[in-house]
Amino acid sequence: MQDMTQRKITIAIDGYSSCGKSTMAKALAHSLGYIYIDSGAMYRAITLYSLREGMWHDGQLEETRLALSMPHLRVGFTRTIYGQLRTLLNGVDIEEEIRTMEVSNHVSPIAALPFVRHAMTEQQRALGEAKGIVMDGRDVGTTVFPSAELKIFVTARPEVRAQRRFEEIRSKGDSKTSFEEVLTNLQERDRIDSTRAVSPLRQADDARVLDNSDLTFAEQDALALQWAQEVINTRV
């Protein structure tokens, strides 16, 4: 755990879907004694709401209905007694529901909407005002916290990322979704995230790149912690 006398910083971790951003961010936050914020879960929460409320018709979203609902939607986080992070929508635990393929298949169009991004960015900034946080997502280092002291851009080969996501889905009891479906979904999300008009996925100019295609979790976590400690211990 971090020495409490050390200065606290903001750590922004961006990168492609299913490249282990959240796993690494959680481990890094734990090692430093920082707060972890899963920005991707916030967009998944809004996506789940839109699906529950029947806002999709033939693949098209009723954007006006969702826009009118946004002022009433608050996304937050809590921890179980075992330290597990859980996502809340208006105070209700939705962690399991936001990890389904149905949500995965609809989250990128939701996350591309300017009014959704604006609302979530404001909530994210409010969560991170006190520093001492690690946040992961698609535009944390470029839009949410452009002045973050440490920015890490995580990537891995598409087939490696798809296999990781496929194994995660299988471990949660989904025996129907194929590897090919997961890979197609991942490639489509990459395309949408990288080409959207508002806050597209891109590497910040001052971000450190971490390609974990051939790294173990322990190796990537050690590298991220090393980078964080270098920045924390740098005199300003």
Side-chain angles (χ1 to χ4, degrees):
M1 301 291 282
Q2 185 200 21
D3 181 346
M4 295 303 291
T5 62
Q6 291 182 318
R7 72 185 182 110
K8 290 186 176 182
I9 65 172
T10 296
I11 301 175
I13 300 178
D14 293 308
Y16 294 98
S17 61
S18 301
C19 62
K21 297 187 304 296
S22 296
T23 300
M24 186 179 74
K26 291 174 186 175
L28 184 56
H30 177 74
S31 296
L32 295 171
Y34 279 19
I35 295 171
Y36 165 68
I37 301 173
D38 182 353
S39 68
M42 300 178 78
Y43 291 103
R44 284 178 171 271
I46 303 303
T47 303
L48 177 67
Y49 176 83
S50 72
L51 290 166
R52 283 180 170 178
E53 295 299 313
M55 295 182 181
W56 292 86
H57 305 283
D58 297 322
Q60 298 298 313
L61 172 70
E62 291 185 77
E63 293 185 19
T64 300
R65 281 186 62 196
L66 182 59
L68 291 172
S69 300
M70 288 305 298
H72 310 291
L73 303 179
R74 306 300 299 178
V75 183
F77 301 94
T78 188
R79 289 190 182 279
T80 68
I81 58 175
Y82 303 106
Q84 298 170 317
L85 193 74
R86 308 289 294 184
T87 306
L88 307 177
L89 178 61
N90 291 344
V92 178
D93 188 328
I94 55 168
E95 183 63 30
E96 302 302 330
E97 292 92 330
I98 64 173
R99 305 301 175 182
T100 64
M101 274 303 294
E102 183 181 23
V103 170
S104 293
N105 286 332
H106 292 82
V107 67
S108 286
I110 292 283
L113 294 171
F115 63 85
V116 174
R117 297 208 71 81
H118 175 75
M120 292 300 96
T121 296
E122 290 302 306
Q123 292 188 34
Q124 290 160 11
R125 285 174 176 161
L127 290 169
E129 284 180 352
K131 290 189 177 291
I133 67 162
V134 179
M135 181 183 289
D136 74 289
R138 302 290 195 280
D139 66 341
V140 182
T142 55
T143 301
V144 183
F145 295 120
S147 299
E149 291 87 347
L150 174 61
K151 300 174 186 177
I152 301 175
F153 190 85
V154 189
T155 186
R157 295 187 296 273
E159 64 272 15
V160 173
R161 294 187 283 128
Q163 183 62 35
R164 291 171 180 167
R165 176 63 175 152
F166 179 69
E167 291 173 357
E168 178 187 9
I169 291 172
R170 280 286 186 268
S171 71
K172 293 183 178 179
D174 183 341
S175 60
K176 297 180 179 179
T177 303
S178 68
F179 173 81
E180 289 71 23
E181 288 177 300
V182 174
L183 179 59
T184 298
N185 169 260
L186 181 146
Q187 292 172 328
E188 178 63 7
R189 289 180 65 188
D190 286 351
R191 185 192 66 78
I192 293 174
D193 292 343
S194 300
T195 60
R196 66 188 177 217
V198 180
S199 299
L201 167 65
R202 66 177 179 82
Q203 177 189 331
D205 293 337
D206 54 348
R208 305 190 189 198
V209 178
L210 195 160
D211 186 329
N212 63 19
S213 297
D214 302 306
L215 297 179
T216 65
F217 286 139
E219 289 170 337
Q220 74 163 12
D221 292 348
L223 182 56
L225 180 58
Q226 174 189 321
W227 288 347
Q229 291 174 332
E230 288 173 359
V231 174
I232 291 170
N233 293 325
T234 298
R235 293 185 178 277
V236 293

mmCIF file of all heavy atoms in Angstrom, residues 80-110:
data_model
loop_
_atom_site.group_PDB
_atom_site.id
_atom_site.type_symbol
_atom_site.label_atom_id
_atom_site.label_comp_id
_atom_site.label_asym_id
_atom_site.label_seq_id
_atom_site.Cartn_x
_atom_site.Cartn_y
_atom_site.Cartn_z
ATOM 1 N N THR A 80 -18.265 -4.694 -1.748
ATOM 2 C CA THR A 80 -18.806 -5.710 -0.852
ATOM 3 C C THR A 80 -17.863 -5.862 0.336
ATOM 4 O O THR A 80 -16.769 -5.297 0.350
ATOM 5 C CB THR A 80 -18.927 -7.066 -1.571
ATOM 6 O OG1 THR A 80 -17.594 -7.557 -1.842
ATOM 7 C CG2 THR A 80 -19.682 -6.926 -2.882
ATOM 8 N N ILE A 81 -18.263 -6.648 1.321
ATOM 9 C CA ILE A 81 -17.404 -6.870 2.488
ATOM 10 C C ILE A 81 -16.132 -7.622 2.095
ATOM 11 O O ILE A 81 -15.155 -7.643 2.856
ATOM 12 C CB ILE A 81 -18.152 -7.651 3.593
ATOM 13 C CG1 ILE A 81 -18.642 -9.005 3.048
ATOM 14 C CG2 ILE A 81 -19.301 -6.827 4.143
ATOM 15 C CD1 ILE A 81 -19.276 -9.872 4.121
ATOM 16 N N TYR A 82 -16.143 -8.214 0.889
ATOM 17 C CA TYR A 82 -14.965 -8.923 0.390
ATOM 18 C C TYR A 82 -14.114 -8.046 -0.524
ATOM 19 O O TYR A 82 -13.143 -8.510 -1.116
ATOM 20 C CB TYR A 82 -15.395 -10.184 -0.360
ATOM 21 C CG TYR A 82 -16.235 -11.115 0.480
ATOM 22 C CD1 TYR A 82 -17.606 -11.214 0.260
ATOM 23 C CD2 TYR A 82 -15.667 -11.862 1.509
ATOM 24 C CE1 TYR A 82 -18.390 -12.062 1.034
ATOM 25 C CE2 TYR A 82 -16.444 -12.702 2.290
ATOM 26 C CZ TYR A 82 -17.805 -12.800 2.053
ATOM 27 O OH TYR A 82 -18.581 -13.632 2.837
ATOM 28 N N GLY A 83 -14.493 -6.769 -0.641
ATOM 29 C CA GLY A 83 -13.705 -5.837 -1.436
ATOM 30 C C GLY A 83 -14.049 -5.782 -2.902
ATOM 31 O O GLY A 83 -13.384 -5.082 -3.675
ATOM 32 N N GLN A 84 -15.095 -6.497 -3.341
ATOM 33 C CA GLN A 84 -15.468 -6.496 -4.750
ATOM 34 C C GLN A 84 -16.232 -5.230 -5.101
ATOM 35 O O GLN A 84 -17.119 -4.802 -4.377
ATOM 36 C CB GLN A 84 -16.330 -7.717 -5.067
ATOM 37 C CG GLN A 84 -15.630 -9.049 -4.848
ATOM 38 C CD GLN A 84 -16.591 -10.232 -4.951
ATOM 39 O OE1 GLN A 84 -17.704 -10.193 -4.434
ATOM 40 N NE2 GLN A 84 -16.153 -11.286 -5.623
ATOM 41 N N LEU A 85 -15.865 -4.632 -6.250
ATOM 42 C CA LEU A 85 -16.522 -3.415 -6.703
ATOM 43 C C LEU A 85 -17.834 -3.759 -7.391
ATOM 44 O O LEU A 85 -17.883 -4.657 -8.234
ATOM 45 C CB LEU A 85 -15.609 -2.664 -7.675
ATOM 46 C CG LEU A 85 -16.031 -1.224 -8.001
ATOM 47 C CD1 LEU A 85 -15.729 -0.311 -6.827
ATOM 48 C CD2 LEU A 85 -15.299 -0.736 -9.247
ATOM 49 N N ARG A 86 -18.889 -3.057 -7.043
ATOM 50 C CA ARG A 86 -20.206 -3.281 -7.647
ATOM 51 C C ARG A 86 -20.724 -1.961 -8.213
ATOM 52 O O ARG A 86 -20.555 -0.895 -7.625
ATOM 53 C CB ARG A 86 -21.201 -3.797 -6.597
ATOM 54 C CG ARG A 86 -20.731 -4.996 -5.799
ATOM 55 C CD ARG A 86 -20.687 -6.259 -6.627
ATOM 56 N NE ARG A 86 -22.025 -6.680 -7.056
ATOM 57 C CZ ARG A 86 -22.234 -7.817 -7.730
ATOM 58 N NH1 ARG A 86 -21.220 -8.609 -8.057
ATOM 59 N NH2 ARG A 86 -23.475 -8.155 -8.083
ATOM 60 N N THR A 87 -21.369 -2.050 -9.371
ATOM 61 C CA THR A 87 -21.910 -0.869 -10.035
ATOM 62 C C THR A 87 -23.360 -0.655 -9.628
ATOM 63 O O THR A 87 -24.150 -1.601 -9.581
ATOM 64 C CB THR A 87 -21.832 -1.027 -11.562
ATOM 65 O OG1 THR A 87 -20.482 -1.346 -11.930
ATOM 66 C CG2 THR A 87 -22.254 0.256 -12.260
ATOM 67 N N LEU A 88 -23.699 0.593 -9.353
ATOM 68 C CA LEU A 88 -25.054 0.941 -8.921
ATOM 69 C C LEU A 88 -25.696 1.902 -9.915
ATOM 70 O O LEU A 88 -25.033 2.819 -10.408
ATOM 71 C CB LEU A 88 -25.026 1.608 -7.538
ATOM 72 C CG LEU A 88 -24.303 0.893 -6.401
ATOM 73 C CD1 LEU A 88 -24.336 1.752 -5.140
ATOM 74 C CD2 LEU A 88 -24.915 -0.473 -6.136
ATOM 75 N N LEU A 89 -26.953 1.702 -10.192
ATOM 76 C CA LEU A 89 -27.738 2.646 -10.980
ATOM 77 C C LEU A 89 -28.863 3.139 -10.096
ATOM 78 O O LEU A 89 -29.727 2.358 -9.690
ATOM 79 C CB LEU A 89 -28.299 1.983 -12.244
ATOM 80 C CG LEU A 89 -29.189 2.874 -13.129
ATOM 81 C CD1 LEU A 89 -28.401 4.074 -13.636
ATOM 82 C CD2 LEU A 89 -29.771 2.083 -14.290
ATOM 83 N N ASN A 90 -28.821 4.424 -9.765
ATOM 84 C CA ASN A 90 -29.782 5.005 -8.826
ATOM 85 C C ASN A 90 -29.864 4.175 -7.543
ATOM 86 O O ASN A 90 -30.948 3.931 -6.999
ATOM 87 C CB ASN A 90 -31.161 5.131 -9.480
ATOM 88 C CG ASN A 90 -31.184 6.189 -10.569
ATOM 89 O OD1 ASN A 90 -30.294 7.033 -10.656
ATOM 90 N ND2 ASN A 90 -32.197 6.160 -11.408
ATOM 91 N N GLY A 91 -28.691 3.748 -7.080
ATOM 92 C CA GLY A 91 -28.590 3.044 -5.803
ATOM 93 C C GLY A 91 -28.848 1.554 -5.847
ATOM 94 O O GLY A 91 -28.740 0.884 -4.829
ATOM 95 N N VAL A 92 -29.170 1.011 -7.017
ATOM 96 C CA VAL A 92 -29.478 -0.418 -7.146
ATOM 97 C C VAL A 92 -28.310 -1.145 -7.813
ATOM 98 O O VAL A 92 -27.796 -0.704 -8.854
ATOM 99 C CB VAL A 92 -30.763 -0.630 -7.967
ATOM 100 C CG1 VAL A 92 -31.043 -2.119 -8.133
ATOM 101 C CG2 VAL A 92 -31.946 0.062 -7.290
ATOM 102 N N ASP A 93 -27.895 -2.266 -7.231
ATOM 103 C CA ASP A 93 -26.786 -3.054 -7.753
ATOM 104 C C ASP A 93 -27.185 -3.705 -9.081
ATOM 105 O O ASP A 93 -28.140 -4.469 -9.152
ATOM 106 C CB ASP A 93 -26.415 -4.139 -6.730
ATOM 107 C CG ASP A 93 -25.141 -4.896 -7.108
ATOM 108 O OD1 ASP A 93 -24.868 -5.075 -8.298
ATOM 109 O OD2 ASP A 93 -24.420 -5.321 -6.180
ATOM 110 N N ILE A 94 -26.405 -3.392 -10.140
ATOM 111 C CA ILE A 94 -26.691 -3.950 -11.471
ATOM 112 C C ILE A 94 -25.444 -4.614 -12.057
ATOM 113 O O ILE A 94 -25.346 -4.805 -13.278
ATOM 114 C CB ILE A 94 -27.193 -2.851 -12.432
ATOM 115 C CG1 ILE A 94 -26.181 -1.696 -12.481
ATOM 116 C CG2 ILE A 94 -28.572 -2.351 -12.029
ATOM 117 C CD1 ILE A 94 -26.431 -0.702 -13.587
ATOM 118 N N GLU A 95 -24.502 -4.953 -11.224
ATOM 119 C CA GLU A 95 -23.202 -5.447 -11.698
ATOM 120 C C GLU A 95 -23.324 -6.650 -12.630
ATOM 121 O O GLU A 95 -22.650 -6.707 -13.669
ATOM 122 C CB GLU A 95 -22.319 -5.795 -10.500
ATOM 123 C CG GLU A 95 -20.914 -6.259 -10.875
ATOM 124 C CD GLU A 95 -20.090 -5.198 -11.596
ATOM 125 O OE1 GLU A 95 -20.302 -3.989 -11.354
ATOM 126 O OE2 GLU A 95 -19.239 -5.589 -12.419
ATOM 127 N N GLU A 96 -24.150 -7.613 -12.279
ATOM 128 C CA GLU A 96 -24.257 -8.804 -13.126
ATOM 129 C C GLU A 96 -24.923 -8.484 -14.462
ATOM 130 O O GLU A 96 -24.485 -8.952 -15.521
ATOM 131 C CB GLU A 96 -25.064 -9.894 -12.401
ATOM 132 C CG GLU A 96 -24.489 -10.314 -11.052
ATOM 133 C CD GLU A 96 -23.073 -10.832 -11.166
ATOM 134 O OE1 GLU A 96 -22.715 -11.397 -12.222
ATOM 135 O OE2 GLU A 96 -22.296 -10.678 -10.197
ATOM 136 N N GLU A 97 -25.959 -7.677 -14.422
ATOM 137 C CA GLU A 97 -26.736 -7.395 -15.633
ATOM 138 C C GLU A 97 -25.949 -6.632 -16.690
ATOM 139 O O GLU A 97 -26.180 -6.804 -17.890
ATOM 140 C CB GLU A 97 -27.998 -6.606 -15.277
ATOM 141 C CG GLU A 97 -29.026 -7.394 -14.479
ATOM 142 C CD GLU A 97 -28.846 -7.227 -12.974
ATOM 143 O OE1 GLU A 97 -27.694 -7.025 -12.528
ATOM 144 O OE2 GLU A 97 -29.852 -7.296 -12.255
ATOM 145 N N ILE A 98 -25.005 -5.773 -16.275
ATOM 146 C CA ILE A 98 -24.288 -4.963 -17.262
ATOM 147 C C ILE A 98 -23.177 -5.727 -17.963
ATOM 148 O O ILE A 98 -22.565 -5.211 -18.915
ATOM 149 C CB ILE A 98 -23.698 -3.682 -16.628
ATOM 150 C CG1 ILE A 98 -22.629 -4.029 -15.586
ATOM 151 C CG2 ILE A 98 -24.806 -2.805 -16.060
ATOM 152 C CD1 ILE A 98 -21.895 -2.812 -15.055
ATOM 153 N N ARG A 99 -22.904 -6.970 -17.549
ATOM 154 C CA ARG A 99 -21.812 -7.744 -18.152
ATOM 155 C C ARG A 99 -22.297 -8.732 -19.216
ATOM 156 O O ARG A 99 -21.519 -9.561 -19.671
ATOM 157 C CB ARG A 99 -21.041 -8.489 -17.056
ATOM 158 C CG ARG A 99 -20.510 -7.604 -15.934
ATOM 159 C CD ARG A 99 -19.565 -6.533 -16.443
ATOM 160 N NE ARG A 99 -19.158 -5.619 -15.366
ATOM 161 C CZ ARG A 99 -18.364 -4.574 -15.544
ATOM 162 N NH1 ARG A 99 -17.891 -4.294 -16.757
ATOM 163 N NH2 ARG A 99 -18.045 -3.778 -14.536
ATOM 164 N N THR A 100 -23.548 -8.648 -19.622
ATOM 165 C CA THR A 100 -24.088 -9.589 -20.606
ATOM 166 C C THR A 100 -23.711 -9.166 -22.026
ATOM 167 O O THR A 100 -23.368 -8.001 -22.284
ATOM 168 C CB THR A 100 -25.620 -9.652 -20.515
ATOM 169 O OG1 THR A 100 -26.164 -8.368 -20.859
ATOM 170 C CG2 THR A 100 -26.069 -10.022 -19.092
ATOM 171 N N MET A 101 -23.817 -10.127 -22.974
ATOM 172 C CA MET A 101 -23.544 -9.823 -24.376
ATOM 173 C C MET A 101 -24.560 -8.844 -24.939
ATOM 174 O O MET A 101 -24.243 -8.036 -25.821
ATOM 175 C CB MET A 101 -23.539 -11.105 -25.203
ATOM 176 C CG MET A 101 -22.202 -11.831 -25.243
ATOM 177 S SD MET A 101 -20.819 -10.818 -25.851
ATOM 178 C CE MET A 101 -21.312 -10.547 -27.553
ATOM 179 N N GLU A 102 -25.791 -8.879 -24.437
ATOM 180 C CA GLU A 102 -26.803 -7.945 -24.924
ATOM 181 C C GLU A 102 -26.364 -6.510 -24.661
ATOM 182 O O GLU A 102 -26.477 -5.642 -25.534
ATOM 183 C CB GLU A 102 -28.161 -8.211 -24.272
ATOM 184 C CG GLU A 102 -29.260 -7.305 -24.825
ATOM 185 C CD GLU A 102 -30.615 -7.529 -24.173
ATOM 186 O OE1 GLU A 102 -30.652 -8.037 -23.038
ATOM 187 O OE2 GLU A 102 -31.622 -7.168 -24.801
ATOM 188 N N VAL A 103 -25.857 -6.265 -23.470
ATOM 189 C CA VAL A 103 -25.361 -4.924 -23.147
ATOM 190 C C VAL A 103 -24.125 -4.612 -23.987
ATOM 191 O O VAL A 103 -23.982 -3.509 -24.528
ATOM 192 C CB VAL A 103 -25.053 -4.805 -21.642
ATOM 193 C CG1 VAL A 103 -24.311 -3.494 -21.345
ATOM 194 C CG2 VAL A 103 -26.342 -4.867 -20.829
ATOM 195 N N SER A 104 -23.232 -5.588 -24.127
ATOM 196 C CA SER A 104 -22.016 -5.380 -24.940
ATOM 197 C C SER A 104 -22.365 -4.987 -26.371
ATOM 198 O O SER A 104 -21.685 -4.154 -26.985
ATOM 199 C CB SER A 104 -21.161 -6.651 -24.951
ATOM 200 O OG SER A 104 -20.639 -6.932 -23.676
ATOM 201 N N ASN A 105 -23.418 -5.579 -26.907
ATOM 202 C CA ASN A 105 -23.801 -5.314 -28.292
ATOM 203 C C ASN A 105 -24.435 -3.940 -28.496
ATOM 204 O O ASN A 105 -24.591 -3.498 -29.640
ATOM 205 C CB ASN A 105 -24.771 -6.390 -28.782
ATOM 206 C CG ASN A 105 -24.079 -7.709 -29.040
ATOM 207 O OD1 ASN A 105 -22.895 -7.750 -29.367
ATOM 208 N ND2 ASN A 105 -24.818 -8.802 -28.901
ATOM 209 N N HIS A 106 -24.805 -3.267 -27.403
ATOM 210 C CA HIS A 106 -25.482 -1.971 -27.527
ATOM 211 C C HIS A 106 -24.699 -0.818 -26.894
ATOM 212 O O HIS A 106 -25.087 0.342 -27.072
ATOM 213 C CB HIS A 106 -26.873 -2.034 -26.867
ATOM 214 C CG HIS A 106 -27.850 -2.918 -27.575
ATOM 215 N ND1 HIS A 106 -27.889 -4.277 -27.409
ATOM 216 C CD2 HIS A 106 -28.830 -2.627 -28.487
ATOM 217 C CE1 HIS A 106 -28.852 -4.796 -28.162
ATOM 218 N NE2 HIS A 106 -29.434 -3.817 -28.823
ATOM 219 N N VAL A 107 -23.625 -1.107 -26.187
ATOM 220 C CA VAL A 107 -22.972 -0.065 -25.397
ATOM 221 C C VAL A 107 -22.235 0.971 -26.247
ATOM 222 O O VAL A 107 -22.243 2.165 -25.916
ATOM 223 C CB VAL A 107 -22.020 -0.685 -24.341
ATOM 224 C CG1 VAL A 107 -20.838 -1.383 -24.999
ATOM 225 C CG2 VAL A 107 -21.526 0.386 -23.365
ATOM 226 N N SER A 108 -21.602 0.569 -27.345
ATOM 227 C CA SER A 108 -20.836 1.544 -28.128
ATOM 228 C C SER A 108 -21.706 2.648 -28.720
ATOM 229 O O SER A 108 -21.340 3.831 -28.662
ATOM 230 C CB SER A 108 -20.036 0.837 -29.222
ATOM 231 O OG SER A 108 -18.936 0.152 -28.661
ATOM 232 N N PRO A 109 -22.875 2.329 -29.308
ATOM 233 C CA PRO A 109 -23.740 3.417 -29.798
ATOM 234 C C PRO A 109 -24.197 4.355 -28.685
ATOM 235 O O PRO A 109 -24.288 5.568 -28.893
ATOM 236 C CB PRO A 109 -24.931 2.664 -30.418
ATOM 237 C CG PRO A 109 -24.375 1.328 -30.787
ATOM 238 C CD PRO A 109 -23.402 1.004 -29.704
ATOM 239 N N ILE A 110 -24.467 3.791 -27.508
ATOM 240 C CA ILE A 110 -24.862 4.626 -26.366
ATOM 241 C C ILE A 110 -23.710 5.533 -25.959
ATOM 242 O O ILE A 110 -23.881 6.743 -25.736
ATOM 243 C CB ILE A 110 -25.274 3.738 -25.164
ATOM 244 C CG1 ILE A 110 -26.574 2.984 -25.453
ATOM 245 C CG2 ILE A 110 -25.393 4.583 -23.883
ATOM 246 C CD1 ILE A 110 -27.831 3.812 -25.356
#
